[in-house]
Amino acid sequence: MSDLRELYQQVILDHNKNPRNFHAMPDASRTVDGYNPLCGDHYTIFLRLDGETIREVSFTGSGCAISKASASVMSSTVKGKSKEEAGQLFDTFHRLVTGDASGLSAAELGRLAAFSGVSEFPARVKCATLAWHTLRSALEGTEEKVSTE
Amino acid sequence: MSAVIETKSTYDVAAVRRDFPILARDVRGKRLVYLDNAATTQKPRQVIDRLVRYYSEENSNVHRGVHYLSELATLEYENARAYIRRFLNARDEKEIVFTRGTTESINLVAQTWGRANVREGDEILISAIEHHSNIVPWQMLCAEKQASLRIIPVFDNGELDLDAYERMLNPRVKLVAVGHASNALGTINPLRRIIGAAHANGSLVLVDGAQGVPHLTVDLQALDCDFYAFSGHKVYGPTGIGVLYGKQELLEAMPPWQGGGDMILSVSFEKTTYNALPYKFEAGTPNIAGAIGLAAALQYVASIGLDAIAAYEHELLVYAAARLQEIEGLRLIGTARGKAAVISFVLEGVHPHDIGTVLDQEGIAVRTGHHCAQPLMMRFNVPATGRASFGLYNTREEADALVAGLHKVIEVFR
Ligand SMILES: Cc1ncc(COP(=O)(O)O)c(C=O)c1O
C-alpha cells in the first residue's frame, strides 16, 4: 500500500473529489481541449488573460483521479501568475513527475509536491501532465486540441 | 457468496496452469493474477517449445528451396494450415490465408473484396459494439467509395437489436461485418440469425472472430459466414499471426492485395501471373514460426476440448459476476444472456484508470480504458470501464483476488 499512498496523497484525493475551478467560463479569452486517447481522459481548459497575466483559470471534463487533481491544482497554482511564471511551474512539475526533482526546493514545489509519487508510476505521467500540456498550448494560443499520445 | 454454483471436478485447472510458465511468476511481489486475456493470452509450454523446436531444428524459408530444410519448413507450415482448416471445419485449405492477425485480415477484405465490389450508394452494416478494427477499415472503404456505413443498434444489456438489424437490410447492403463475441462486453452475437438474414438479403457476412475462437467452437461450414478473421495471440498462440478465412469462390474472384514474392506464378515486366489460393494473398516471406505456433496452440486447446473450456469459463464468469455484484457501487456493463468470459464494470466515484493502478499493485492485470471500442463507450455513456477477461487457466481464487483488490480500491478512494 505504501507506493499507493505515495501516489494517491491526500491532496490528490481531495482535489479529485472536490476539484477547484471546475466550471466553464463563457467569457474566456482562450479555450483549449486536452485529450488522452489511451485512457479517454478529456478536459477543456478556460483562461482569462490580462496582458501577460493569467487572471482566471477553470476547467471541465472527466478523467482519472491523477489527471483531475492535477488540473485542479494547476488551475489554482497558476492563477494570478504571468505566462512566463506558469511556464516555469510546468517545467518544475514536469521534472517532479518524471523523477528529476533534484534541486527543487519545497518552496518552489508548494502544492505541486503532492504529485511526487507519480514518478514511481511511469504509466501515469501522462495523466498528471495532461492539464499542463493543455494550459501551455492555451497560453501559446497555437492549438485548439491537445493530445498526449 | 453463492453456494449455488457447483464446481465441475472434471476440469483440472491446476494441471492446465502448470502448462503456462508465466503464471508462476510474481508481479510487484505478488503472485500474478492475469485477467487481461481479451487483450492477449499467455502461452503454454507446448507452444513455446514448438517455436523453439522450429527455430532450433527446422528453420528455413518456405516454398522456395529444394534443400532439405526448406522442404521441412514448407511441410510444417502447410501442416499448420491443414490443422487450422480441420479445427475450424473449413471446406478447403485454400480458404485459410495467413495474416498478421484480425486487423490485417479485415483490412485485406476491405481493400480487395471491398474495393472491387462496393460502389457509390451501397451500404455496409456493422454493429454498435465493434472493435475499432472492425470499424475503421469500413469507414475508409465507405469514404473512398461514397458508400454508407450503418450501425446495428445495441440494447442496454449489450445484446444487438436484431429486429432493427433485419429492418436495416435492403438491396444496397453489400456486407454485414459483426463480431463473434465482443471484447468490451462479452456479448456473444447470434451469428446464425444474423448470417441467415443477410444471405436471404443477398449480403455477405464477415465475422470478426478475435474473441470467438478462444472461447467458442467454430464450425465454418455450419456457420456459413463468407469471411472469418481471428488472431493467434488471443487463443494462446504467438503474436504476429492470424487467419483470414474466406469462401473459395470469393477469394478466387478477389484481386490480390500486396504484391511481391510467393504471391506470383510468373513475373515479366509486361505481365505478372498471380499464384493460386491461398498464396495469392500471402506476399513475401510469411510468419512461418507463427503459423506453426498457432497450430500448436489450437492443438493445445483441442487437447483440453473447447466444450470443456467453454463450460469451465462460463462457470467462472457466473461466479465472478456474482461476486463482483456484491461490491457496493459496482455496475456491470454488458449483461447479455449469451456472454463470453469478459466482465466490464465501473465503480462509482473511481475512474477505471485508478482501479487499474491499484489492482496492478496487487499483481492483478486487468484492462482499463475504452477497449478500442470508443463508440461503444459513448453508447453506454461511460468514458472507460475496467475489464476482467478470463481464460482457460483462470480460477475462482483469482476472481476472489479481484474482488479483494477492488475492496482495496474502495479503501483508497472512499
Ligand atoms: C473483437 C476484436 N476484434 C479485433 C481485434 C484486433 O485484433 P488484433 O489486434 O490481433 O489484430 C481484437 C483485439 O484487440 C478484438 O478483441
Side-chain angles (χ1 to χ4, degrees):
Chain A
M1 264 328 231
S2 68
D3 275 357
L4 278 180
R5 291 282 174 218
E6 270 298 296
L7 177 65
Y8 295 113
Q9 294 181 24
Q10 207 49 47
V11 173
I12 291 182
L13 294 175
D14 172 48
H15 277 261
N16 175 47
K17 258 200 185 136
N18 306 297
R20 321 294 196 269
N21 308 303
F22 191 54
H23 53 80
M25 196 193 295
D27 57 345
S29 27
R30 302 253 169 89
T31 303
V32 177
D33 281 345
Y35 184 51
N36 181 346
L38 197 66
C39 37
D41 292 355
H42 191 180
Y43 294 100
T44 304
I45 306 261
F46 304 86
L47 287 185
R48 187 152 59 240
L49 296 172
D50 179 1
E52 286 299 298
T53 307
I54 302 168
R55 280 283 164 240
E56 293 287 339
V57 192
S58 72
F59 72 105
T60 58
S62 70
C64 64
I66 304 295
S67 65
K68 188 178 243 177
S70 174
S72 173
V73 169
M74 181 274 286
S75 70
S76 29
T77 310
V78 301
K79 193 167 157 174
K81 298 278 193 302
S82 71
K83 286 182 180 183
E84 197 186 326
E85 286 166 330
Q88 283 160 0
L89 280 165
F90 183 16
D91 287 342
T92 302
F93 184 75
H94 198 268
R95 282 176 57 195
L96 177 74
V97 297
T98 52
D100 174 27
S102 55
L104 294 177
S105 68
E108 265 175 287
L109 286 172
R111 244 170 317 188
L112 302 182
F115 292 87
S116 59
V118 173
S119 63
E120 292 298 314
F121 294 80
R124 307 308 298 273
V125 171
K126 280 182 177 153
C127 309
T129 54
L130 176 58
W132 287 92
H133 280 293
T134 313
L135 171 73
R136 185 167 63 187
S137 71
L139 289 174
E140 288 167 357
T142 44
E143 283 173 76
E144 313 257 274
K145 201 150 192 143
V146 180
S147 163
T148 53
E149 269 311 294
Chain B
M1 231 172 297
S2 32
V4 219
I5 310 142
E6 282 173 45
T7 322
K8 289 223 183 74
S9 49
T10 46
Y11 191 89
D12 189 355
V13 70
V16 170
R17 290 182 71 82
R18 283 195 293 277
D19 289 332
F20 291 79
I22 207 169
L23 297 181
R25 72 158 287 172
D26 288 349
V27 165
R28 306 193 190 284
K30 308 267 169 68
R31 177 55 53 89
L32 169 67
V33 174
Y34 188 77
L35 299 177
D36 195 17
N37 293 285
T40 199
T41 53
Q42 300 302 343
K43 319 306 172 197
R45 192 175 296 289
Q46 288 82 342
V47 169
I48 299 167
D49 288 351
R50 186 65 191 89
L51 294 176
V52 170
R53 178 150 67 86
Y54 172 75
Y55 280 123
S56 313
E57 299 172 19
E58 302 164 348
N59 176 58
S60 192
N61 211 327
V62 291
H63 302 137
R64 354 198 132 161
V66 292
H67 60 80
Y68 180 84
L69 283 183
S70 177
E71 283 181 3
L72 181 58
T74 304
L75 179 72
E76 293 301 330
Y77 181 66
E78 291 305 326
N79 279 345
R81 193 191 311 273
Y83 184 77
I84 292 165
R85 181 207 68 76
R86 280 210 304 285
F87 186 89
L88 300 171
N89 193 31
R91 212 172 309 122
D92 199 294
E93 284 158 33
K94 294 192 188 79
E95 300 176 318
I96 304 295
V97 177
F98 284 119
T99 64
R100 278 196 303 131
T102 309
T103 303
E104 189 171 79
S105 296
I106 296 173
N107 276 278
L108 192 163
V109 176
Q111 295 290 313
T112 61
W113 176 86
R115 285 174 129 179
N117 291 284
V118 173
R119 288 179 230 307
E120 187 174 342
D122 284 347
E123 295 177 7
I124 291 174
L125 303 190
I126 62 173
S127 89
I129 63 175
E130 297 308 314
H131 188 279
H132 291 166
S133 65
N134 199 27
I135 302 175
V136 183
W138 307 118
Q139 277 176 331
M140 291 163 70
L141 176 67
C142 287
E144 181 184 318
K145 296 291 181 180
Q146 292 173 294
S148 52
L149 188 64
R150 300 186 61 209
I151 314 301
I152 305 164
V154 60
F155 292 119
D156 288 343
N157 68 354
E159 293 178 16
L160 296 186
D161 182 345
L162 293 184
D163 293 333
Y165 158 65
E166 287 174 355
R167 284 194 300 273
M168 290 166 79
L169 289 168
N170 72 73
R172 293 183 301 278
V173 176
K174 287 281 148 52
L175 179 79
V176 178
V178 290
H180 198 163
S182 157
N183 65 303
L185 302 179
T187 310
I188 298 170
N189 287 321
L191 289 183
R192 295 284 181 113
R193 180 168 165 195
I194 292 172
I195 294 166
H199 284 172
N201 185 59
S203 318
L204 299 187
V205 178
L206 175 140
V207 177
D208 169 355
Q211 302 297 338
V213 176
H215 304 290
L216 304 160
T217 302
V218 178
D219 179 336
L220 288 171
Q221 290 187 66
L223 259 186
D224 198 34
C225 59
D226 302 283
F227 300 104
Y228 193 99
F230 73 97
S231 302
H233 69 99
K234 294 189 196 277
V235 57
Y236 312 102
T239 52
I241 188 74
V243 166
L244 170 68
Y245 158 84
K247 283 183 180 163
Q248 188 174 342
E249 59 275 18
L250 289 168
L251 293 178
E252 298 277 12
M254 279 154 55
W257 187 25
Q258 296 174 331
D262 268 352
M263 58 78 70
I264 45 82
L265 276 184
S266 72
V267 175
S268 73
F269 287 117
E270 288 71 41
K271 184 173 166 47
T272 290
T273 312
Y274 301 126
N275 203 341
L277 288 178
Y279 311 111
K280 183 169 91 174
F281 295 110
E282 293 182 2
T285 300
N287 184 353
I288 306 163
I292 292 170
L294 170 55
L298 296 178
Q299 271 160 8
Y300 177 77
V301 165
S303 75
I304 300 171
L306 256 169
D307 289 344
I309 293 169
Y312 177 76
E313 287 182 351
H314 183 72
E315 257 188 76
L316 255 185
L317 171 73
V318 171
Y319 176 76
R323 290 239 41 213
L324 286 172
Q325 275 174 303
E326 291 167 8
I327 298 174
E328 206 190 310
L330 186 141
R331 181 161 65 94
L332 300 184
I333 309 286
T335 50
R337 284 161 294 180
K339 262 188 76 157
V342 171
I343 303 182
S344 248
F345 59 90
V346 289
L347 194 54
E348 200 186 312
V350 190
H351 191 278
H353 211 174
D354 298 311
I355 297 176
T357 291
V358 177
L359 292 179
D360 180 52
Q361 293 297 303
E362 300 297 310
I364 303 169
V366 298
R367 172 87 188 264
T368 62
H370 54 59
H371 317 296
C372 297
Q374 283 179 306
L376 172 67
M377 296 292 121
M378 246 175 261
R379 162 65 180 79
F380 284 90
N381 214 4
V382 289
T385 71
R387 180 188 72 187
S389 53
F390 298 81
L392 51 75
Y393 38 61
N394 289 121
T395 63
R396 285 181 177 215
E397 290 70 32
E398 290 178 312
D400 293 339
L402 172 65
V403 171
L406 287 169
H407 280 297
K408 212 152 245 174
V409 172
I410 292 168
E411 202 182 302
V412 172
F413 283 92
R414 296 237 173 106

PDB file of all heavy atoms in Angstrom, chain B residues 225-237:
ATOM      1  N   CYS B 225     -20.663 -18.281 -42.749  1.00  0.00           N
ATOM      2  CA  CYS B 225     -20.262 -16.885 -42.993  1.00  0.00           C
ATOM      3  C   CYS B 225     -19.339 -16.874 -44.207  1.00  0.00           C
ATOM      4  O   CYS B 225     -18.790 -17.907 -44.596  1.00  0.00           O
ATOM      5  CB  CYS B 225     -19.574 -16.295 -41.775  1.00  0.00           C
ATOM      6  SG  CYS B 225     -18.103 -17.199 -41.276  1.00  0.00           S
ATOM      7  N   ASP B 226     -19.155 -15.688 -44.781  1.00  0.00           N
ATOM      8  CA  ASP B 226     -18.355 -15.585 -46.000  1.00  0.00           C
ATOM      9  C   ASP B 226     -16.891 -15.332 -45.700  1.00  0.00           C
ATOM     10  O   ASP B 226     -16.006 -15.788 -46.418  1.00  0.00           O
ATOM     11  CB  ASP B 226     -18.949 -14.491 -46.880  1.00  0.00           C
ATOM     12  CG  ASP B 226     -20.394 -14.793 -47.203  1.00  0.00           C
ATOM     13  OD1 ASP B 226     -20.623 -15.668 -48.070  1.00  0.00           O
ATOM     14  OD2 ASP B 226     -21.304 -14.218 -46.554  1.00  0.00           O
ATOM     15  N   PHE B 227     -16.641 -14.563 -44.636  1.00  0.00           N
ATOM     16  CA  PHE B 227     -15.276 -14.317 -44.170  1.00  0.00           C
ATOM     17  C   PHE B 227     -15.248 -14.468 -42.655  1.00  0.00           C
ATOM     18  O   PHE B 227     -16.228 -14.122 -41.968  1.00  0.00           O
ATOM     19  CB  PHE B 227     -14.824 -12.889 -44.516  1.00  0.00           C
ATOM     20  CG  PHE B 227     -14.814 -12.581 -45.984  1.00  0.00           C
ATOM     21  CD1 PHE B 227     -15.827 -11.789 -46.543  1.00  0.00           C
ATOM     22  CD2 PHE B 227     -13.799 -13.053 -46.811  1.00  0.00           C
ATOM     23  CE1 PHE B 227     -15.818 -11.478 -47.901  1.00  0.00           C
ATOM     24  CE2 PHE B 227     -13.784 -12.757 -48.168  1.00  0.00           C
ATOM     25  CZ  PHE B 227     -14.804 -11.964 -48.719  1.00  0.00           C
ATOM     26  N   TYR B 228     -14.118 -14.942 -42.135  1.00  0.00           N
ATOM     27  CA  TYR B 228     -13.960 -15.052 -40.692  1.00  0.00           C
ATOM     28  C   TYR B 228     -12.508 -14.692 -40.381  1.00  0.00           C
ATOM     29  O   TYR B 228     -11.588 -15.214 -41.019  1.00  0.00           O
ATOM     30  CB  TYR B 228     -14.263 -16.485 -40.229  1.00  0.00           C
ATOM     31  CG  TYR B 228     -14.427 -16.633 -38.724  1.00  0.00           C
ATOM     32  CD1 TYR B 228     -15.697 -16.665 -38.143  1.00  0.00           C
ATOM     33  CD2 TYR B 228     -13.313 -16.741 -37.882  1.00  0.00           C
ATOM     34  CE1 TYR B 228     -15.854 -16.802 -36.765  1.00  0.00           C
ATOM     35  CE2 TYR B 228     -13.469 -16.873 -36.503  1.00  0.00           C
ATOM     36  CZ  TYR B 228     -14.739 -16.906 -35.952  1.00  0.00           C
ATOM     37  OH  TYR B 228     -14.898 -17.029 -34.592  1.00  0.00           O
ATOM     38  N   ALA B 229     -12.320 -13.790 -39.430  1.00  0.00           N
ATOM     39  CA  ALA B 229     -10.976 -13.305 -39.114  1.00  0.00           C
ATOM     40  C   ALA B 229     -10.658 -13.564 -37.654  1.00  0.00           C
ATOM     41  O   ALA B 229     -11.519 -13.394 -36.793  1.00  0.00           O
ATOM     42  CB  ALA B 229     -10.904 -11.797 -39.378  1.00  0.00           C
ATOM     43  N   PHE B 230      -9.426 -14.009 -37.365  1.00  0.00           N
ATOM     44  CA  PHE B 230      -9.024 -14.103 -35.954  1.00  0.00           C
ATOM     45  C   PHE B 230      -7.515 -13.980 -35.790  1.00  0.00           C
ATOM     46  O   PHE B 230      -6.771 -14.001 -36.773  1.00  0.00           O
ATOM     47  CB  PHE B 230      -9.570 -15.370 -35.292  1.00  0.00           C
ATOM     48  CG  PHE B 230      -8.895 -16.657 -35.705  1.00  0.00           C
ATOM     49  CD1 PHE B 230      -7.881 -17.199 -34.926  1.00  0.00           C
ATOM     50  CD2 PHE B 230      -9.276 -17.320 -36.857  1.00  0.00           C
ATOM     51  CE1 PHE B 230      -7.257 -18.387 -35.287  1.00  0.00           C
ATOM     52  CE2 PHE B 230      -8.663 -18.505 -37.234  1.00  0.00           C
ATOM     53  CZ  PHE B 230      -7.649 -19.034 -36.449  1.00  0.00           C
ATOM     54  N   SER B 231      -7.101 -13.828 -34.529  1.00  0.00           N
ATOM     55  CA  SER B 231      -5.685 -13.615 -34.188  1.00  0.00           C
ATOM     56  C   SER B 231      -5.163 -14.770 -33.364  1.00  0.00           C
ATOM     57  O   SER B 231      -5.831 -15.232 -32.436  1.00  0.00           O
ATOM     58  CB  SER B 231      -5.524 -12.337 -33.335  1.00  0.00           C
ATOM     59  OG  SER B 231      -6.016 -11.214 -34.008  1.00  0.00           O
ATOM     60  N   GLY B 232      -3.950 -15.203 -33.656  1.00  0.00           N
ATOM     61  CA  GLY B 232      -3.345 -16.291 -32.893  1.00  0.00           C
ATOM     62  C   GLY B 232      -3.111 -15.950 -31.428  1.00  0.00           C
ATOM     63  O   GLY B 232      -3.303 -16.782 -30.537  1.00  0.00           O
ATOM     64  N   HIS B 233      -2.708 -14.706 -31.180  1.00  0.00           N
ATOM     65  CA  HIS B 233      -2.267 -14.380 -29.813  1.00  0.00           C
ATOM     66  C   HIS B 233      -3.403 -14.356 -28.808  1.00  0.00           C
ATOM     67  O   HIS B 233      -3.158 -14.347 -27.603  1.00  0.00           O
ATOM     68  CB  HIS B 233      -1.524 -13.034 -29.804  1.00  0.00           C
ATOM     69  CG  HIS B 233      -2.387 -11.838 -30.064  1.00  0.00           C
ATOM     70  ND1 HIS B 233      -2.858 -11.058 -29.041  1.00  0.00           N
ATOM     71  CD2 HIS B 233      -2.862 -11.288 -31.203  1.00  0.00           C
ATOM     72  CE1 HIS B 233      -3.576 -10.070 -29.556  1.00  0.00           C
ATOM     73  NE2 HIS B 233      -3.601 -10.184 -30.870  1.00  0.00           N
ATOM     74  N   LYS B 234      -4.640 -14.319 -29.286  1.00  0.00           N
ATOM     75  CA  LYS B 234      -5.758 -14.321 -28.340  1.00  0.00           C
ATOM     76  C   LYS B 234      -6.239 -15.726 -28.027  1.00  0.00           C
ATOM     77  O   LYS B 234      -7.155 -15.922 -27.241  1.00  0.00           O
ATOM     78  CB  LYS B 234      -6.913 -13.484 -28.901  1.00  0.00           C
ATOM     79  CG  LYS B 234      -6.541 -12.006 -29.001  1.00  0.00           C
ATOM     80  CD  LYS B 234      -7.717 -11.153 -29.332  1.00  0.00           C
ATOM     81  CE  LYS B 234      -7.309  -9.776 -29.811  1.00  0.00           C
ATOM     82  NZ  LYS B 234      -7.038  -8.845 -28.717  1.00  0.00           N
ATOM     83  N   VAL B 235      -5.624 -16.694 -28.688  1.00  0.00           N
ATOM     84  CA  VAL B 235      -6.014 -18.085 -28.440  1.00  0.00           C
ATOM     85  C   VAL B 235      -4.773 -18.905 -28.066  1.00  0.00           C
ATOM     86  O   VAL B 235      -4.570 -20.014 -28.528  1.00  0.00           O
ATOM     87  CB  VAL B 235      -6.854 -18.649 -29.618  1.00  0.00           C
ATOM     88  CG1 VAL B 235      -6.144 -18.570 -30.943  1.00  0.00           C
ATOM     89  CG2 VAL B 235      -7.379 -20.045 -29.347  1.00  0.00           C
ATOM     90  N   TYR B 236      -3.921 -18.288 -27.237  1.00  0.00           N
ATOM     91  CA  TYR B 236      -2.766 -18.967 -26.647  1.00  0.00           C
ATOM     92  C   TYR B 236      -1.638 -19.217 -27.641  1.00  0.00           C
ATOM     93  O   TYR B 236      -0.715 -19.966 -27.356  1.00  0.00           O
ATOM     94  CB  TYR B 236      -3.210 -20.274 -25.942  1.00  0.00           C
ATOM     95  CG  TYR B 236      -4.409 -20.033 -25.059  1.00  0.00           C
ATOM     96  CD1 TYR B 236      -5.698 -20.396 -25.467  1.00  0.00           C
ATOM     97  CD2 TYR B 236      -4.271 -19.349 -23.854  1.00  0.00           C
ATOM     98  CE1 TYR B 236      -6.818 -20.120 -24.684  1.00  0.00           C
ATOM     99  CE2 TYR B 236      -5.384 -19.065 -23.066  1.00  0.00           C
ATOM    100  CZ  TYR B 236      -6.642 -19.451 -23.490  1.00  0.00           C
ATOM    101  OH  TYR B 236      -7.735 -19.149 -22.715  1.00  0.00           O
ATOM    102  N   GLY B 237      -1.713 -18.570 -28.809  1.00  0.00           N
ATOM    103  CA  GLY B 237      -0.656 -18.691 -29.805  1.00  0.00           C
ATOM    104  C   GLY B 237       0.210 -17.447 -29.833  1.00  0.00           C
ATOM    105  O   GLY B 237       0.017 -16.514 -29.050  1.00  0.00           O
TER     106      GLY B 237
END
